[in-house]
Every structure is written in structure tokens, then in C-alpha cells.
Amino acid sequence: MTRAFLIVLDSVGIGGAPDAAAFGDTGSDTVGHIADACAAGRGDNAERNGPLRLPNLCRLGLGSASEASTGRLPPGLARAPSDTAWGYASETSNGKDTPSGHWELCGVPVSFDWGYFPVTRPCFPRDLMEQLVEAENLPGWLGDRHESGTVIIQELGEEHIRTGKPIVYTSADSVLQIAAHEEHFGLERLLALCETARALVDPLNIGRVIARPFVGETPHTFKRTANRRDYSVLPPEPTLLRRHADRGGQVISVGKIGDIFAHDGTGREVKAPDNDAMFDLMLAETRTAGEHALIVVNFVDFDVHYGHRRDPAGYAAALEHFDRRLPEFEALLGPGDLAIITADHGCDPTWPGSDHTRENVPVLTLGGARPAGPVGHLSSFSDVGQTLARHLGITDMPHGRAFARTA
């Protein structure tokens, strides 16, 4: 079969991008700093201990790509065999957010500037919040600042339950996030609120509105649920997904891909609550996907549970678990298949703050149709999309260059 797979390990960056200084991220290195923490004994928890162990990802080139990106081989990682088709890519889009990274990976870099909310208290325009309150008959709102989602829910969750006021906050990304209790406030009410907010922030060019439902009754028991929903704007041009769907090709979106692409060209969408269940779904879809299918997967736990929460030990355990399962996926690939494992940005768990980091990303290829050797430094994530497009017989992608071996 001639099938294409794009597997995004959300936030698994491998060192500061060439323009990291413009984002305040010079020196960031998600994989490298996790490896450092593990080597120094700061990566131990109930699930793992000792140096970072990623033999399968390193066999595909993760260690070599990290070394090429940063100039050093992270402790515990190994170089790939000389004929392995690995590379690394730099982003050209103007943001280090999830939609920008995914869209560029699928051939559509973001050349415009997103709108952002200032790092002030309050951070949202007063008229915006008053319109939201009036439209949804709210008693008011809480938060109104830049903050980590888990922190602000712990701080304001009880007041939210008592008053019925939703928690509204943002980050360094172009985003407005609304947290509310699934039972006391209501999940459907939260989703309707976010749909209203999506329309209200369109004139501000805000990339995403995110519904952040949670459960629990006290700060110690509050927990965000898997019912998160992202409301993104449409990509500015047809992506790889849209172009393949328009040709009658089968598109399967696993995880939050549908939300990221505003459900444009995303075909059949399937979701799961965590990385392990997502891996099971990916295997199931791989077993049944037909000729010329395009399967796009996002493994979000790396970013949401460990990167933003600045948990290098948890991040290391999640990477090692993915690595152990990787041969299950490889065994299902045929001689005509091409799979690319990559990332959309970094989220260095040792970096100050709780935001994404501007980093290069690994480009690891699998399947019988992979190149015969290293592919080098890709100057745009769009090279990934162009390569997958060429593999599927799509010839009209306007951005990126299909890669081939460089040595």
C-alpha cells in the first residue's frame, strides 16, 4: 500500500530554533534538558529512574537529530545508523503555537501575525468580556490574566463553583481559554460559551478559544478532563489534509487534529483520553486504512501534562512509554508506506514559565518508502507536508520542498 502517516509528538522539541531569541527561548531544549535531568537524578519518579532510555526513537535518529540541532548528543541518547533517514526542521511561522506548527507541517506556514492579549491584569478588553457576559447571561468572570491552567483552576475553582463565574485566562499563545466545572457549570454550557467567545475574538485575530472543563470539589481534587475542545480559525490556505480530501483521498484524524484544523479536510475524526489510548487508536486505524490513506495523529500528553506543568520526570516516563510501543506501529507498515514522526514546537519542562518554547523539531521517517539516508536540516516544517504530498501524488502544494537523502 501507498499510505502516509504524520505523527506529531506534541511539544517534543530538540533545541532552540534559529530565531529562538525573538521568542525569549535561546537555550531551550526539550529533549536535551529532559535527558540532562534524568542523568542528574532529577528525572526519577514512580514510573522510571536513571538515564533517559529511548532506544527505538534513537534507532530512527532522535539522538542524531538532537545533536545536529544543538551541537551536543544528550546524555543517554545514541546516534543512529548511517543509513537512517532522520533530519530536523525549523519553523517559519510567526507563532510557536499548536495550530501554526501543525498547519506548517501540513504545508501552510503562518505568515501573518496572530493577535495576543497583553501581560497585564486584567488582560482582556473590557468590552469583549462585557459582550461575553451579556450574550451568555453570566454573573461575571474570574481570572482575566496570563496563567497556567492547572494553577488558576486550583486557585479559583471553589469561587467558580460558588459564584457560577467562568475562569477566563490566556498564555503567551494567541488563545483565550475558559475553564468551568463539568457538573456545577455544565459541559454543554461551557462549549456554548466558547462558541460565542470564538465569534467575539475573531476581529482580534485570536488563533484559538479553548474549553477547559474540570471536575472535583476542592483544590486538591480539581482535575481537568478529556472533554477539552479547541475552537480554531480556519487555516489560511488548503492544507495537505484538505487537498487530499478534495481529491477523494481517505483522511483519518486521531486525537485533537480535528480541532486544530477547524475540522477542515480532517475526514473521519477519532479521539482517545490519553497517549496510550491514542496509540491503540493509531494501531487500529493503521490496520484498516486503505490505499492512499492519510492518517494524522497528535499525542498531546507530552505538552499538556508534562511540558506546561514543567514535569521533566513525567515527560521522560511518557517518552519512554511511547518508545517501548513504537515497534508495534512499525510492524504494521508496508513496503509502500511512509510515516514521519515529528513535533509542532517545544515545551521545555525545565524552562521558566509554563509556555511553549521556540525549538527545532525532529523529523524521523519509517516505512518501506522512507529515504535511504539522512535528510539534513529542513528550513521549514512545510518540507514535511510537501514530502507526504509527493508520496500521495499531490503536486499542487505551494510551500516547502520534498526532501531526499543528503548523504
Side-chain angles (χ1 to χ4, degrees), residues 121-192:
R121 294 192 181 191
C123 67
F124 299 117
R126 182 80 183 185
D127 61 340
L128 167 66
M129 299 309 299
E130 289 176 347
Q131 290 178 62
L132 191 61
V133 164
E134 181 178 0
E136 294 297 320
N137 193 29
L138 299 171
W141 67 93
L142 303 172
D144 209 337
R145 67 177 190 260
H146 284 241
E147 190 57 88
S148 159
T150 52
V151 169
I152 205 167
I153 289 171
Q154 285 184 333
E155 178 184 332
L156 299 176
E158 289 182 316
E159 184 178 356
H160 158 70
I161 293 172
R162 184 176 66 254
T163 64
K165 298 176 181 179
I167 303 168
V168 190
Y169 61 105
T170 189
S171 71
D173 286 349
S174 179
V175 64
L176 183 148
Q177 305 191 68
I178 305 178
H181 198 281
E182 282 198 359
E183 298 166 3
H184 294 288
F185 190 87
L187 177 59
E188 294 305 317
R189 186 183 178 199
L190 171 60
L191 299 182

Side-chain angles (χ1 to χ4, degrees), residues 266-342:
T266 48
R268 188 162 64 85
E269 300 176 8
V270 292
K271 292 187 175 183
D274 54 46
N275 272 6
D276 207 31
M278 209 81 69
F279 207 105
D280 289 338
L281 267 182
M282 180 176 71
L283 296 180
E285 297 300 334
T286 302
R287 291 187 185 100
T288 60
E291 179 73 10
H292 299 301
L294 170 62
I295 300 177
V296 185
V297 189
N298 173 278
F299 286 92
V300 70
D301 287 3
F302 300 116
D303 184 56
V304 171
H305 293 314
Y306 310 113
H308 286 300
R309 298 184 188 184
R310 297 309 192 237
D311 179 4
Y315 209 135
L319 283 170
E320 290 176 341
H321 186 74
F322 179 90
D323 187 88
R324 286 192 294 271
R325 297 205 64 183
L326 190 53
E328 297 177 57
F329 173 68
E330 291 181 272
L332 299 178
L333 296 177
D337 290 339
L338 174 62
I340 296 177
I341 298 176
T342 184

Side-chain angles (χ1 to χ4, degrees), residues 12-287:
V12 181
I14 54 170
D19 59 356
F23 296 84
D25 292 330
T26 301
S28 60
D29 183 1
T30 298
V31 170
H33 288 159
I34 292 169
D36 290 341
C38 291
R42 300 190 307 275
D44 296 352
N45 63 15
E47 298 179 67
R48 68 161 318 278
N49 60 76
L52 185 62
R53 302 177 184 89
L54 302 173
N56 292 305
L57 286 167
C58 286
R59 172 173 50 81
L60 296 174
L62 180 62
S64 296
S66 296
E67 183 178 29
S69 173
T70 64
R72 70 174 186 120
L73 182 67
L77 302 194
R79 297 184 180 94
S82 59
D83 61 347
T84 304
W86 61 268
Y88 69 101
S90 300
E91 188 172 7
T92 63
S93 294
N94 289 343
K96 55 180 179 178
D97 54 279
T98 294
S100 295
H102 281 75
W103 296 354
E104 187 170 335
L105 286 169
C106 290
V108 180
V110 175
S111 59
F112 58 83
D113 290 323
W114 293 110
Y116 298 92
F117 296 111
V119 187
T120 58
R121 294 192 181 191
C123 67
F124 299 117
R126 182 80 183 185
D127 61 340
L128 167 66
M129 299 309 299
E130 289 176 347
Q131 290 178 62
L132 191 61
V133 164
E134 181 178 0
E136 294 297 320
N137 193 29
L138 299 171
W141 67 93
L142 303 172
D144 209 337
R145 67 177 190 260
H146 284 241
E147 190 57 88
S148 159
T150 52
V151 169
I152 205 167
I153 289 171
Q154 285 184 333
E155 178 184 332
L156 299 176
E158 289 182 316
E159 184 178 356
H160 158 70
I161 293 172
R162 184 176 66 254
T163 64
K165 298 176 181 179
I167 303 168
V168 190
Y169 61 105
T170 189
S171 71
D173 286 349
S174 179
V175 64
L176 183 148
Q177 305 191 68
I178 305 178
H181 198 281
E182 282 198 359
E183 298 166 3
H184 294 288
F185 190 87
L187 177 59
E188 294 305 317
R189 186 183 178 199
L190 171 60
L191 299 182
L193 174 61
C194 289
E195 289 177 4
T196 298
R198 173 69 269 170
L200 291 175
V201 300
D202 279 350
L204 304 177
N205 203 28
I206 300 301
R208 284 184 296 169
V209 172
I210 304 179
R212 293 285 197 176
F214 66 97
V215 294
E217 299 298 325
T218 67
H220 294 296
T221 60
F222 289 145
K223 180 180 179 181
R224 296 196 296 196
T225 76
N227 291 319
R228 162 183 170 161
R229 185 78 58 82
D230 292 36
Y231 297 86
S232 299
V233 297
L234 285 169
E237 301 174 42
T239 65
L240 171 66
L241 285 72
R242 166 49 60 199
R243 291 175 187 274
H244 190 52
D246 285 347
R247 298 166 69 246
Q250 181 185 22
V251 179
I252 302 168
S253 299
V254 183
K256 67 173 188 173
I257 295 299
D259 289 348
I260 294 170
F261 288 86
H263 310 284
D264 182 57
T266 48
R268 188 162 64 85
E269 300 176 8
V270 292
K271 292 187 175 183
D274 54 46
N275 272 6
D276 207 31
M278 209 81 69
F279 207 105
D280 289 338
L281 267 182
M282 180 176 71
L283 296 180
E285 297 300 334
T286 302
R287 291 187 185 100

